[in-house]
Amino acid sequence: MIWKIKVLRKMGRSYIGYKLGHPRPFFCVYSVTLQCNLRCKHCFVESPYQDDKELREYWSGLGNDLTTEQAKYAIDQLDRIGISLLHLTGGEPLLREDLEEIALHAKKKGMYISLDTNGTLMTKERAKSLSCFDRIGVSVDGMKEAHDWIRGQNTFEKAVKAIELLKKYSDSMVGIVFTINKMNYRDVENVFEFARSHCDFITFLPVDHIRELFLDEESAKQVGETILKLKEKNKSFIENPIEYIELLPHFLQGKTAIDCNIECHPFALYYTLGPSGDLSGCTSLLSYVGNILKDDIVDMHKRGISKMLDVRSKCKGCTFTCAIQNSLLFQQPIYKAIIIATSKLLRM
């Protein structure tokens, strides 16, 4: 309970600072590795449909993963600027044997730690050790036929098994992360019902940057209405806030936060940390501010804040929840922001 209070206190400082015009970042996505055992069709790095040459070249040109001690040092630096929520992703994070050691170090800093995984590498022993995470999301992108088309043969069974192991042997909140595209959108209700029977939550994501997998207008509208109805009946079970779900029909068609007039807050509210220590305000290549092993993080943060408006003006836009949902959260009235943040922490 003590560490939960620490997290809420940090978030509270960030929220108040934001409202007073002196924002303090609270959230960071750390891609602990770009190595992955799958080649998913909707992955914005490895998809065969990815035609953004600049983005592909950037990710493929990154250096080696941080060592365990370097990762701990990076977390110490993130703590200096107020990060209270750390989300570990990849690639496939479970390919790192030191993942739990990294997470435990962040936990000692009073951070809320979450993880997304494809689940295919899960074992009983790994499920037990992952109890150090507060939240674990397993990717389930449709029922068997659609999921296996996207992620590979027999990956659906492995993801389901991972959920079973995590629910039985870990103390974490365990849920499903469902990335919606034109090959799996008809499975939304079935996956939701599966999640209700087996998990603690579900979160919905639109496919990003892969135009071949966008939905047509009518299908996107129907999916949005379906999820909104499910949210109204299952408010806390679906992680996405209503404000984000209302935008889903646009995102599913390939429109971005910019198209929807959503003001994002890179540097001010959130950062992304690359596998080799590169620090950016978000996934935009324009938002790079330095390397966490080489540059002082306070100086990098000042550079980021000074260039935020320029990054916004030149950004191509995205639909990523790490940016949009957190921006939407901090734009809520204080009573609503407190309710959302507190309910999430108390569910753990």
Side-chain angles (χ1 to χ4, degrees), residues 32-152:
V32 295
T33 184
L34 284 186
Q35 297 180 63
C36 191
N37 60 322
L38 302 181
R39 293 293 181 268
C40 302
K41 290 183 173 64
H42 66 278
C43 175
F44 75 97
V45 178
E46 294 289 349
S47 171
Y49 304 122
Q50 175 58 271
D51 58 5
D52 190 327
K53 184 178 179 181
E54 184 181 19
L55 187 65
R56 186 187 291 274
E57 288 181 350
Y58 169 78
W59 285 106
S60 62
L62 291 176
N64 296 327
D65 299 343
L66 298 180
T67 65
T68 306
E69 292 308 311
Q70 288 173 334
K72 289 180 180 179
Y73 172 80
I75 289 168
D76 292 342
Q77 299 312 299
L78 293 173
D79 182 55
R80 287 179 61 198
I81 59 171
I83 298 299
S84 55
L85 276 72
L86 185 66
H87 180 64
L88 304 189
T89 183
E92 172 47 47
L94 295 191
L95 286 171
R96 287 198 64 145
E97 295 180 357
D98 61 352
L99 187 66
E100 291 86 343
E101 187 174 351
I102 293 171
L104 285 169
H105 186 76
K107 200 73 170 286
K108 291 176 182 177
K109 294 293 180 179
M111 296 181 183
Y112 176 96
I113 316 298
S114 66
L115 168 71
D116 279 353
T117 173
N118 62 40
T120 59
L121 303 175
M122 194 66 63
T123 62
K124 174 182 175 180
E125 292 70 25
R126 201 72 196 267
K128 289 180 179 179
S129 67
L130 290 172
S131 289
C132 55
F133 284 89
D134 303 303
R135 170 204 173 276
I136 301 175
V138 179
S139 297
V140 176
D141 296 319
M143 301 309 287
K144 179 175 172 51
E145 182 178 358
H147 180 96
D148 284 0
W149 180 84
I150 294 166
R151 293 185 174 266

Side-chain angles (χ1 to χ4, degrees), residues 42 149-150 179-185 207 213 215 252:
H42 66 278
W149 180 84
I150 294 166
T179 302
I180 305 169
N181 63 61
K182 72 177 184 180
M183 301 305 298
N184 64 12
Y185 73 92
V207 65
L213 297 178
L215 274 62
L252 291 171

